[in-house]
Amino acid sequence: MTLNLRLTYIFSCIITLAIAGTPGDVLQLDFPNVAIAAQDNGTLLGQSGENGDIHIQPVKNGSGTVLFDGYDVLEIIDVVIINNMPPIWHFHGHVGYSGTFEGASNIMIPLEVLDPESQDVRFELVAGNFPTGLSIASNPWRIQGIPPDEDAIYTFTIRAIDASDQYADAVFKIEILEVDQCLREMCHNNGQCNNTNTHRGFSCSCPLEYGGPTCDVTCNKTALGIANSSVVPDAQLSAYLSRYTSQASDGRLSESGKYWCGENANSWLQVDLGGLAKLFRIVTSGANSTFFAKTYTLSYSTDGTTFNSINDVNNTTVHTFMGSISALYQTLPEPLEARFVRIHPTTYERSYHPCFQVEMYGCWL
Ligand SMILES: *[C@@H]1O[C@H](CO)[C@@H](O)[C@H](O)[C@H]1NC(C)=O
Ligand SMILES: *[C@@H]1O[C@H](CO)[C@@H](O)[C@H](O)[C@H]1NC(C)=O
Ligand SMILES: *[C@@H]1O[C@H](CO)[C@@H](O)[C@H](O)[C@H]1NC(C)=O
Ligand SMILES: *[C@@H]1O[C@H](CO)[C@@H](O)[C@H](O)[C@H]1NC(C)=O
Ligand SMILES: *[C@@H]1O[C@H](CO)[C@@H](O)[C@H](O)[C@H]1NC(C)=O
Ligand SMILES: *[C@@H]1O[C@H](CO)[C@@H](O)[C@H](O)[C@H]1NC(C)=O
Ligand SMILES: *[C@@H]1O[C@H](CO)[C@@H](O)[C@H](O)[C@H]1NC(C)=O
Ligand SMILES: *[C@@H]1O[C@H](CO)[C@@H](O)[C@H](O)[C@H]1NC(C)=O
């Protein structure tokens, strides 16, 4: 057999054991099945017989040293070969990692390498198109996160780096398939579902009576939140011809004991809902047995500039809403879309003033 070993790394030493028996031999030792020759150019040749091995072995087992060009061969092997080995990707074919995942759902891909020196290994993204929503996390090392819900293929390169900065790169190719959220019957109450590629991945177009992201809000039973200053801040309540010190913000339906009071039948209280809503019902509650609106009308607007009155079903007469001392609910003749609503008290106790609080029912658009 032939052994031809070259170690050329950092020590530039060249050792050659080759077939013996050439003409330049200055020393030739032959024995059945082994031949050793030293040549005049310095080459040492060794040859075993059929199927034999050649061992270079120190004089004493375990205490001698084999030197190559003055260096201990065991140290050369340790330093040159082992301690400079990069990490080796585990479970990772030569074409890289690939996998297919559902959009908008959690992904977890373990990052696993073996390091020949058993050093700690860290991972970095070095190139490519990495999906938003994913990140490289540790303990244990992995790629994790929630990718966008859309059909896409991402190819990127991750580098495993050991404590001596030896590294190995690996290519990942992952495919994301958009989930047809509408197959999951996300929209209730006969809402029409539409895949949208947004984070939730779908939108519902609700029938008139329903609202909310999945059409499960019953509009005529759901307060829009005028009562809640986090939903409709004070600045979105305004009034015309207020009585004395009453504030438009006193007009929220609440237990505050305060009411907005109009000066007369020309006064109005305006609610800016902050966005378009489908309106179904309104409730007013008067201050006490003398200060309340007996009747009122409503006008509405989408832009805050052009107001139309809320009319009866045939849209020929202005609709009259009934008010009371205590909370009285009134349904609009027909639901309508508006952002701004004005409450105009029209009749109230003579020689007193119309004072009330208000809330409206509907769904946000
Ligand atoms: C030494 O000589 C042998 C045979 O003549 C040849 O095979 C070998 O390559 C030579 N080695 C060098 C380092 O020149
Ligand atoms: C040398 O020592 C090793 C263990 O250190 C042993 O496996 C081997 O057999 C020994 N060789 C000889 C020739 O004694
Ligand atoms: C579905 O959503 C897309 C993107 O948001 C939109 O362009 C499209 O008009 C919607 N289709 C329907 C029927 O609502
Ligand atoms: C809401 O609308 C439904 C269907 O039109 C009706 O049956 C129900 O009585 C209404 N609820 C209120 C509180 O108006
Ligand atoms: C007021 O609205 C905020 C924001 O929507 C909500 O977190 C809070 O619970 C509401 N408060 C009440 C009393 O409903
Ligand atoms: C009724 O309410 C108004 C407005 O809050 C207030 O000015 C008036 O004093 C109240 N009257 C009685 C009798 O409580
Ligand atoms: C609306 O008009 C129709 C026919 O023009 C009539 O039958 C109906 O009574 C009217 N409704 C109202 C509330 O005035
Ligand atoms: C009612 O009629 C007016 C014009 O007289 C029109 O501007 C408005 O859009 C109509 N409203 C409805 C709900 O049909």
Side-chain angles (χ1 to χ4, degrees):
M1 72 137 261
T2 300
L3 176 63
N4 190 323
L5 171 66
R6 284 173 188 265
L7 297 173
T8 57
Y9 280 78
I10 54 175
F11 299 104
S12 306
C13 70
I14 301 172
I15 311 295
T16 304
L17 294 172
I19 297 169
T22 47
D25 295 349
V26 293
L27 172 66
Q28 179 74 38
L29 300 175
D30 291 308
F31 195 74
N33 295 326
V34 66
I36 294 176
Q39 298 184 340
D40 54 9
N41 63 9
T43 298
L44 180 66
L45 300 163
Q47 182 180 27
S48 73
E50 290 289 315
N51 303 321
D53 295 331
I54 292 181
H55 295 254
I56 299 173
Q57 195 164 313
V59 178
K60 293 177 185 170
N61 186 8
S63 62
T65 304
V66 176
L67 300 176
F68 278 169
D69 200 17
Y71 294 95
D72 183 336
V73 71
L74 293 178
E75 284 177 15
I76 293 171
I77 290 169
D78 194 34
V79 172
V80 176
I81 301 178
I82 302 295
N83 282 342
N84 281 277
M85 289 281 276
I88 299 159
W89 285 88
H90 207 33
F91 305 126
H92 207 96
H94 68 282
V95 292
Y97 175 90
S98 57
T100 301
F101 301 91
E102 272 191 356
S105 48
N106 199 49
I107 284 180
M108 207 285 282
I109 301 169
L111 294 172
E112 291 180 85
V113 294
L114 300 175
D115 189 60
E117 308 128 273
S118 301
Q119 294 177 341
D120 286 340
V121 176
R122 67 185 194 278
F123 296 85
E124 288 173 10
L125 176 71
V126 289
N129 176 20
F130 194 71
T132 56
L134 299 192
S135 60
I136 296 171
S138 58
N139 288 326
W141 284 98
R142 62 202 188 274
I143 297 170
Q144 192 161 29
I146 299 177
D149 187 21
E150 56 195 20
D151 290 334
I153 290 175
Y154 300 91
T155 305
F156 51 89
T157 302
I158 301 244
R159 178 166 293 176
I161 308 161
D162 71 14
S164 24
D165 286 336
Q166 295 294 315
Y167 63 83
D169 292 344
V171 173
F172 288 72
K173 179 179 176 184
I174 65 177
E175 183 180 23
I176 307 293
L177 296 179
E178 180 185 350
V179 177
D180 186 353
Q181 300 280 359
C182 292
L183 288 178
R184 303 181 183 176
E185 297 181 4
M186 301 305 291
C187 303
H188 305 136
N189 293 308
N190 292 323
Q192 295 299 308
C193 187
N194 185 17
N195 271 299
T196 58
N197 282 357
T198 56
H199 188 68
R200 200 178 60 239
F202 70 97
S203 69
C204 294
S205 172
C206 304
L208 180 66
E209 301 80 15
Y210 297 98
T214 54
C215 304
D216 45 13
V217 174
T218 306
C219 301
N220 68 356
K221 290 183 188 166
T222 308
L224 284 168
I226 298 167
N228 185 338
S229 61
S230 305
V231 178
V232 178
D234 284 355
Q236 287 174 212
L237 294 163
S238 56
Y240 175 67
L241 287 179
S242 297
R243 173 77 179 158
Y244 291 143
T245 58
S246 83
Q247 302 284 320
S249 57
D250 295 337
R252 307 174 184 285
L253 189 70
S254 70
E255 304 289 323
S256 67
K258 296 188 199 168
Y259 298 80
W260 174 75
C261 297
E263 180 64 35
N264 57 41
N266 293 319
S267 302
W268 44 254
L269 174 67
Q270 174 174 306
V271 180
D272 172 4
L273 294 166
L276 274 182
K278 292 191 279 194
L279 302 181
F280 281 73
R281 286 202 301 158
I282 182 168
V283 56
T284 59
S285 181
N288 51 49
S289 60
T290 44
F291 289 77
F292 70 100
K294 289 181 174 174
T295 61
Y296 59 95
T297 61
L298 297 177
S299 59
Y300 69 101
S301 172
T302 53
D303 60 9
T305 305
T306 307
F307 282 80
N308 285 312
S309 57
I310 293 185
N311 292 347
D312 289 316
V313 172
N314 285 350
N315 197 22
T316 50
T317 49
V318 174
H319 185 78
T320 297
F321 292 85
M322 305 305 293
S324 174
I325 301 162
S326 55
L328 183 62
Y329 289 82
Q330 298 275 277
T331 300
L332 273 54
E334 284 180 346
L336 54 84
E337 289 181 13
R339 170 174 167 179
F340 300 87
V341 179
R342 287 178 182 169
I343 301 105
H344 307 260
T346 44
T347 58
Y348 49 94
E349 287 289 329
R350 284 182 62 172
S351 69
Y352 298 101
H353 300 278
C355 300
F356 55 86
Q357 300 174 337
V358 65
E359 175 63 284
M360 280 180 242
Y361 285 68
C363 291
W364 298 102
L365 284 171

